[in-house]
């Protein structure tokens, strides 16, 4: 005999399982070098790990619990809205509206207080104003860039992404903290050296 | 020009990418009902989400930042030691030693202070003494049980796992908090009703 509240949490976790089937535009290579597209669930874990490793490098303090809760929640909207490739201009035009609708729908399945809490985490991440959300955004974009670099940048090459386009995507992450600026510069240098981005 | 410290973090994140290729013994079904084995990276994200959703149900306070950092770190040893099926007695006999060696090796690639921090998170999770590690362990086992239940319990059926064996695995999680006891009882009822566990 479960309570309606706990039953609703189980239902939500069942819905969340679908994030494991939302594919991103970065790949991951196994030990034999066989590549497959990364999914948003494993991406979220990798972003969380980056945050744990980088939290002490920041020049400003953050509440790590809120950072990691935000990272766990921020991509759930993709279950309904899909992942939007960072360099898909047409997708970007409708992304905010699609994700807003998805957030209302998905978090609306939870008991009101819990749904509001999850919705607030997602909205804080999207707004990117608080130190916690800026750090989380920095880790999210850093991981995306990193993942492309370590897996051969297939999606960038196919889309002909330029260094300037990549910089527009990564500059807000580089501005989070000098440590991010350093990491992103190192990754950009590698991406250029390996021909993953157009000069 | 990156610093040796930040370069080492990027190296560690590259190594960590391999956790996406460690397969567990629970499956995940896509929207069309096509099943595949779950990997340990996406499992870790799902465990973190469970912790975020359940933190306010606990009868005791926890530092959510430490809980979620522990969850992000706790399975990294599987990159070297592999995932050990909960009902593999032969594997269990060598698991602690294999994972200890893997922890020393993997966390040893980081700068000493950062490696010690990650090692401490892993060791705290394994010891299971602090409120944070008990909550994290509860979420980890709950997600494993849950994932088996929602995906048809293939590995349990093939191994002929009994209700008593499952209870020995899940009782420590049920003891974490009444909310866990309730959730696990509900999942067990469903597993029995669907014939996923032997009576």
């Amino acid at each position: 005999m479960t309570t309606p509240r706990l039953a609703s949490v189980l239902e939500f976790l069942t819905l969340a399982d679908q994030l494991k089937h939302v594919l991103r535009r970065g790949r991951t290579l196994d030990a034999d070098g066989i590549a497959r597209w990364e999914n948003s669930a494993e991406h979220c874990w990798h972003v969380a790990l980056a945050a744990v490793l980088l939290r002490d490098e920041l020049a400003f303090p953050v509440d790590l619990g809120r950072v990691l809760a935000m990272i766990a929640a921020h991509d759930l909207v993709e279950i309904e809205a899909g992942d939007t490739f960072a360099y898909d201009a047409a997708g970007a035009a409708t992304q905010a509206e699609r994700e807003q609708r998805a957030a209302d729908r998905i978090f609306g399945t939870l008991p009101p207080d819990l749904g509001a809490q999850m919705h607030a985490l997602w909205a804080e991440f999207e707004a990117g104003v608080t130190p916690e959300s800026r750090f989380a955004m920095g880790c999210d974009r850093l991981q995306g860039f990193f993942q492309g670099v370590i897996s051969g940048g297939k999606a960038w090459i196919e889309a002909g992404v330029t260094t300037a386009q990549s910089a527009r995507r990564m500059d807000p992450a580089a501005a989070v903290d000098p440590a991010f600026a350093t990491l992103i510069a190192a990754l950009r240098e590698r991406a250029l050296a390996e021909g993953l981005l157009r000069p």
Side-chain angles (χ1 to χ4, degrees), chain A residues 35-140:
Chain A
R36 63 165 174 79
W37 296 110
E38 186 194 32
N39 71 60
S40 289
E42 55 198 6
H43 154 75
C44 286
W45 163 75
H46 216 175
V47 175
L49 185 65
V52 172
L53 290 165
L54 292 172
R55 62 179 154 158
D56 289 339
E57 310 306 312
L58 294 178
F60 55 91
V62 288
D63 172 347
L64 185 68
R66 221 165 76 240
V67 169
L68 295 176
M70 227 182 284
I71 288 171
H74 84 285
D75 271 345
L76 285 165
V77 294
E78 296 183 357
I79 290 170
E80 294 231 330
D83 178 59
T84 305
F85 184 37
Y87 305 101
D88 166 11
T94 61
Q95 182 175 8
E97 193 213 319
R98 281 182 290 118
E99 294 190 349
Q100 178 66 58
R101 231 181 310 131
D104 293 345
R105 224 285 291 160
I106 289 172
F107 300 130
T109 65
L110 285 166
D113 64 310
L114 208 44
Q117 214 178 77
M118 296 297 290
H119 200 290
L121 285 171
W122 169 77
E124 182 179 349
F125 180 89
E126 287 299 311
V129 173
T130 61
E132 283 75 13
S133 62
R134 296 189 68 236
F135 179 41
M137 174 275 289
C139 292
D140 184 46

